[in-house]
Amino acid sequence: EAGVAQSPRYKIIEKRQSVAFWCNPISGHATLYWYQQILGQGPKLLIQFQNNGVVDDSQLPKDRFSAERLKGVDSTLKIQPAKLEDSAVYLCASSWESSGSFNEQFFGPGTRLTVL
Amino acid sequence: AQTVTQSQPEMSVQEAETVTLSCTYDTSESDYYLFWYKQPPSRQMILVIRQEAYKQQNATENRFSVNFQKAAKSFSLKISDSQLGDAAMYFCVWFSGTYKYIFGTGTRLKVLA
């Protein structure tokens, strides 16, 4: 079965520019997660979708970050405008469903963002 | 707040030897899961092993095993017969339905030939 796909793999932009990342989860996975992984740190959850609805976006900097999953399948994460501190790897993960019980998350390869 | 602490930023092990990675966590919840994830240089995170908090028996997956001490809130990973392919960043992860996934800061494992 195909894994979680992400694009682009690398992106370099200047501060104040905008950028978008794309994620296609494993087929049939209802839950999709976006994580931010800053160098030297563990991933931090930004937003979690259940189908096309937002379950948790408490750590998403909503003044500059936005995410959508309109058809409950693929998702985009946008940053506008980018700041230097947004330089990180953005990981997408998916799982069958999340209702309090455990479902293994499968991770994509990530997008490495560098903001100059 | 739930926290996960990995006090070893980097570890080295000789090929075929055994290494133990440490993890402690803090939570007031009684029902949760703990995991070790491996992130090789290509960055694709892979689940290595998981432990349900209600189970007393330590989980084992081939060369990987854990030492789960619930009262001490400790969850260490033992890798036996280390292989070059084990070189990666290892994350200790805590999960509950309420707080989702909380990652530690990671331990970079180097395997020496």
Side-chain angles (χ1 to χ4, degrees), chain A residues 72-113:
Chain A
V73 181
D74 57 347
S75 174
T76 56
L77 175 70
K78 297 179 182 178
I79 308 175
Q80 182 179 7
K83 292 185 175 181
L84 296 176
E85 58 261 36
D86 298 333
S87 293
V89 174
Y90 291 84
L91 295 169
C92 179
S94 69
S95 65
W96 282 106
E97 56 87 24
S98 174
S99 58
S101 60
F102 168 71
N103 285 280
E104 181 181 346
Q105 290 190 19
F106 294 84
F107 287 82
T111 296
R112 182 181 295 278
L113 174 67

Side-chain angles (χ1 to χ4, degrees), chain A residues 37 42 48 102 105 107 109, chain B residues 35 39 44 50 91 100-101:
Chain A
Q37 186 178 14
Q48 176 185 346
F102 168 71
Q105 290 190 19
F107 287 82
Chain B
F35 314 99
Q39 189 177 40
Q44 197 114 19
R50 81 180 200 206
F91 290 98
K100 307 299 186 292
Y101 274 46

